[in-house]
Amino acid sequence: MLSSERLALPDYEYLAQRHVLTYMEDAVCQLLENREDISQYGIARFFTEYFNSVCQGTHILFREFSFIQATPHNRASFLRAFWRCFRTVGKNGDLLTVREYHCLLQLLCPDFPLELTQKAARIVLMDDAMDCLMSFSDFLFAFQIQFYYSEFLDSVAAIYQDLLSGKNPNTVIVPTSSSGQHRQRPALGEASMLEGVEASVFYQCLENLCDRQKYSCPPPALVKEILSSVQRLTFYGFLVALSKHHGLNQALGALPDKGDLMHDPAMDEELERLLVQVPGLVNSITTTTEASYLPSRTPPRVGSPWRPLHHSHKVDAESDGSTEETDESET
């Protein structure tokens, strides 16, 4: 039975909303690039397996960054994959630097940009040094809003800067997904940190932004709830409030609640099933935690071992393996 959403929309609008053309184009490209291998088991089976992987959210594994950010479903699938693959970092209480989290992201997406990882880390660290350590849960929920709402946050940063300087924020040009990636964030100067902008004016600007948006943005009611609870707010104060908002996490639906972040019975069961199939490995698991299969807190300089078949150019995945620790009080 078709959903009410499907019945309410014309076919072309529904297909555009679900980005079906994006997946069809990607499937055809993969079919042509790997036609010799695919011809052995048939085109029909290839398309069946491809769209099954899209539904399951595994289609984004080891793909290029341009693909994993191409649709909201891809972004949510990448967030879920990152959580499921590396949740043991949080389970074991490990604290990592931004470079080390970036190393983990590159294991799933070889050309994942460092700048995006740094923006997520800044939401957690605020005015602390960027080499401070972060818990997995703090980084994950900050990364969720930064990655999923990247273009929206770039526009919000521009609006905030205009409000600080007294300009009319309604003249801000909404950035595209490509132009917004390198937009400079507001500096965390003393005046900006203490004063911020008037929350009611800020909300009016964001309400207008959401009305004309061509990309994903948080539910307007949620934004209103955050901004109506304070008189003044800084840019990073707004991002922190978004990252910690229970309703926003539920609206996205990519990650579990913070209390359930370390629990994934389906993945645990699958890991146990796979480990049983490896001779001699079960005994060693009894004396070794899952974390032993993850990069340590002091990883060497390594490049990602993954590269998709269609990924023609070489990607450098750099990590300086920093082990320098600074004092940090978690919030």
Side-chain angles (χ1 to χ4, degrees), residues 52-282:
N52 279 340
S53 70
V54 172
C55 291
Q56 296 167 4
T58 58
H59 63 300
I60 45 77
L61 293 174
F62 320 124
R63 294 296 303 271
E64 67 278 10
F65 180 73
S66 61
F67 180 75
I68 68 168
Q69 72 160 355
T71 71
H73 175 66
N74 286 8
R75 298 187 187 200
S77 298
F78 186 79
L79 287 167
R80 191 177 300 110
F82 181 74
W83 161 64
R84 299 189 77 184
C85 288
F86 304 117
R87 65 190 171 90
T88 48
V89 173
K91 182 181 291 187
N92 295 325
D94 294 329
L95 303 177
L96 304 182
T97 65
V98 60
R99 287 279 184 174
E100 290 165 332
Y101 280 116
H102 185 243
C103 216
L104 296 182
L105 288 166
Q106 286 188 310
L107 291 177
L108 301 181
C109 173
D111 65 336
F112 197 92
L114 175 61
E115 180 185 10
L116 196 57
T117 314
Q118 291 173 329
K119 285 182 176 181
R122 179 58 67 194
I123 299 174
V124 179
L125 300 176
M126 299 290 284
D127 54 347
D128 290 331
M130 284 296 287
D131 59 352
C132 285
L133 302 177
M134 295 171 283
S135 70
F136 181 73
S137 61
D138 285 346
F139 175 80
L140 181 62
F141 285 111
F143 176 70
Q144 175 176 234
I145 67 159
Q146 177 57 64
F147 177 60
Y148 195 89
Y149 295 124
S150 180
E151 295 83 4
F152 171 77
L153 296 186
D154 284 327
S155 294
V156 172
I159 289 174
Y160 182 83
Q161 286 284 49
D162 281 348
L163 288 175
L164 282 180
S165 60
K167 296 180 182 178
N168 180 5
N170 291 325
T171 61
V172 173
I173 299 176
V174 178
T176 63
S177 59
S178 57
S179 65
Q181 290 178 13
H182 304 290
R183 183 179 294 275
Q184 191 70 26
R185 284 289 171 85
L188 292 175
E190 183 178 355
S192 174
M193 286 294 294
L194 294 177
E195 298 178 8
V197 298
E198 188 175 341
S200 60
V201 177
F202 195 32
Y203 170 69
Q204 291 175 1
C205 297
L206 298 191
E207 187 179 31
N208 293 334
L209 174 63
C210 291
D211 288 341
R212 67 174 186 263
Q213 61 88 22
K214 295 182 179 180
Y215 41 74
S216 298
C217 65
L222 188 150
V223 174
K224 182 177 182 180
E225 177 187 337
I226 292 175
L227 295 180
S228 62
S229 63
V230 294
Q231 291 185 341
R232 300 187 71 83
L233 192 71
T234 64
F235 174 72
Y236 281 97
F238 176 64
L239 299 194
V240 170
L242 284 177
S243 68
K244 294 184 176 181
H245 198 288
H246 176 71
L248 178 61
N249 186 55
Q250 286 189 324
L252 288 178
L255 301 176
D257 294 336
K258 189 170 184 178
D260 299 324
L261 200 61
M262 307 311 161
H263 305 289
D264 187 4
M267 176 63 80
D268 290 338
E269 183 178 345
E270 181 66 14
L271 285 174
E272 291 178 4
R273 186 185 66 81
L274 293 174
L275 291 174
V276 169
Q277 299 176 11
V278 182
L281 189 58
V282 176

